[in-house]
Each structure stands twice: as structure tokens, then as C-alpha cells.
């Protein structure tokens, strides 16, 4: 699905990039000497936002638009799994409650509503120092298994309670004059603005591997 849209980037890249930069104000764009890591993260985040969240046509997001089209070279099982992703995917910040190295499953608690998910994410489980803080990532339920489906992970070593209720991704008091912007930007873009933005409030405490 991502490759299908990448081959058609002339249809969307310029417009989407301008909108993304206007909202997030990524340091990789405004810094005099951005690091390769900053550029990589910015591009991955923009692509994830475009595919999963930005409305692009009558059917909705690019993922939903893809599923609304006919794809003779894609198997029915693959399309069925993509439909499950489209129906269940969500991005949030999660407190890490437990890890099981044997299965690659992490018990994550959504900081927004305290709902717990058993998430198949071997990478998250394998990073030993990702334990007491908060991981931000996109998950979806496929064939009964919650799993990481995005490309961006952002780790904050501060526990959720240390920054609540004004933590990364929240609409902060200083954002009062950005009401029009927040109508277009959900939690994912707000979090990115806070963590990879040029003047992001929590940029110093974000970690990504």
C-alpha cells in the first residue's frame, strides 16, 4: 500500500509536505545543519500521517482510498488484513506496564483513557531501557492480535504522571492562538510538534530508535 502511494507521490507530496511543515515546524527543516536522523524521522512521520490520518479523497485517508480501489495483484487475505488495520488503527502515548521477551509482547496502557493493550512489538520489548517511561506509536488489531503498524516510535523517559495533564501532544496554554491549526491536527501531529518541532516543548526528552 505504501509503495503504491510512493509511486504516485507527484499527486500529493508537495501539498502534503507544505501542510506538514506548517503544522509541525520540524527542526529538520529549520535547523542550519539538520542531522540525518532528524531528516529520517521527519520523513517517516510525514508519510505515516499521510497514509493513516490525512483525508485525501472521497473514501477518506490514503489507506482507505487504496482499499476502495481494485488491486488485482494483491491477495484477498492481504486486503482483508489492511481493512482490519484501517478499522482499528490508533496512535497514542502508552505507559509500558510489562514486557515478555519470549513472545515479543508488551502490555501498554493508553495514557488517554487507561485502556490496556497486549501489543506484539518485538523491537519495543527488546530495548531494555524503554521501561519506566512512555512510548508513542501506532497500533492496530489484525487477526485478533494488536501490533505496531506505523514506522514512528517516540520514547519519553518521563512517566506519564510526571507531565499530565499538559504532556506531549496536549493543547498547551501557549497554543491558545492556534485554534484553527488544531482543528486540522490530531494527537499525532501535536505530539510531533512537541517532540521534533523546532521549538517543541518536549523535544529534549523524546527518544526514538
Amino acid at each position: 500500500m505504501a509503495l503504491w502511494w510512493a509511486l504516485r507521490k507527484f499527486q500529493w507530496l508537495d501539498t502534503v509536505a507544505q501542510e506538514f511543515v506548517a503544522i509541525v515546524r520540524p527542526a529538520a527543516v529549520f535547523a542550519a545543519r539538520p542531522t540525518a536522523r532528524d531528516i529520517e524521522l521527519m520523513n517517516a512521520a510525514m508519510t505515516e500521517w499521510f497514509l493513516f490520518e490525512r483525508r485525501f479523497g472521497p473514501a477518506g485517508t490514503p489507506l482507505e482510498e487504496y482499499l476502495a480501489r481494485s488491486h488485482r495483484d494483491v491477495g484477498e487475505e492481504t486486503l482483508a488484513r489492511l481493512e482490519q488495520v484501517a478499522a482499528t488503527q490508533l496512535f497514542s502515548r502508552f505507559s509500558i506496564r510489562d514486557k515478555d521477551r519470549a513472545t515479543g509482547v508488551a502490555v501498554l496502557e493508553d495514557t488517554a483513557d487507561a485502556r490496556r493493550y497486549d501489543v506484539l512489538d518485538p523491537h519495543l520489548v527488546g530495548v531494555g531501557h524503554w521501561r519506566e517511561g512512555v512510548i508513542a506509536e501506532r497500533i492496530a488489531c489484525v487477526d485478533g492480535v494488536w501490533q505496531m503498524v506505523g514506522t514512528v516510535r517516540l520514547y519519553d523517559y518521563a512517566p506519564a504522571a510526571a507531565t499530565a495533564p499538559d504532556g506531549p501532544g496536549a493543547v498547551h496554554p501557549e497554543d491558545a492562538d492556534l485554534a484553527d491549526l488544531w482543528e486540522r491536527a490530531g494527537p499525532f501531529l501535536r505530539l510531533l510538534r512537541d517532540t521534533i518541532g523546532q521549538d517543541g516543548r518536549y523535544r529534549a526528552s523524546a527518544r526514538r530508535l
Side-chain angles (χ1 to χ4, degrees):
M1 184 271 294
L3 176 60
W4 191 88
W5 280 110
L7 294 173
R8 292 157 179 80
K9 62 183 179 181
F10 64 90
Q11 298 178 4
W12 58 270
L13 183 58
D14 288 346
T15 299
V16 169
Q18 290 175 13
E19 186 174 346
F20 181 84
V21 169
I23 296 173
V24 176
R25 296 189 58 78
V29 171
F30 297 98
R33 295 181 179 178
T35 67
R37 182 180 179 183
D38 285 343
I39 295 172
E40 177 193 3
L41 176 55
M42 176 187 68
N43 290 335
M46 184 184 71
T47 300
E48 180 170 330
W49 169 63
F50 170 68
L51 293 175
F52 288 100
E53 295 190 7
R54 189 187 185 279
R55 188 171 182 85
F56 191 71
T61 65
L63 171 56
E64 292 165 331
E65 284 289 321
Y66 178 87
L67 290 169
R69 300 168 183 263
S70 175
H71 300 280
R72 296 181 180 179
D73 57 336
V74 180
E76 291 185 4
E77 291 185 0
T78 297
L79 291 174
R81 287 193 290 270
L82 284 173
E83 288 173 353
Q84 292 178 65
V85 171
T88 63
Q89 65 88 18
L90 65 99
F91 182 92
S92 193
R93 299 175 66 242
F94 303 92
S95 295
I96 303 169
R97 296 307 185 195
D98 197 11
K99 293 181 178 183
D100 187 335
R101 286 184 176 272
T103 62
V105 171
V107 179
L108 305 182
E109 181 179 297
D110 196 330
T111 60
D113 58 13
R115 179 178 174 182
R116 291 199 176 194
Y117 300 85
D118 292 338
V119 179
L120 179 63
D121 188 345
H123 180 80
L124 167 60
V125 171
V127 180
H129 63 275
W130 286 1
R131 177 162 294 278
E132 303 300 330
V134 175
I135 190 74
E137 64 181 38
R138 189 175 306 276
I139 63 174
C141 188
V142 180
D143 294 339
V145 178
W146 284 98
Q147 51 200 282
M148 201 271 199
V149 294
T151 57
V152 173
R153 293 181 183 87
L154 286 164
Y155 179 74
D156 189 337
Y157 56 75
T163 57
D166 199 29
V171 178
H172 310 299
E174 64 267 26
D175 297 332
D177 59 343
L178 301 176
D180 292 342
L181 184 150
W182 298 139
E183 289 182 1
R184 297 180 288 130
F188 183 46
L189 288 188
R190 293 200 303 268
L191 179 69
L192 291 173
R193 186 182 174 101
D194 272 349
T195 55
I196 72 169
Q198 181 185 24
D199 301 311
R201 180 194 270 218
Y202 292 99
R203 184 180 171 202
S205 65
R207 294 289 183 269
R208 184 246 186 185
L209 289 177

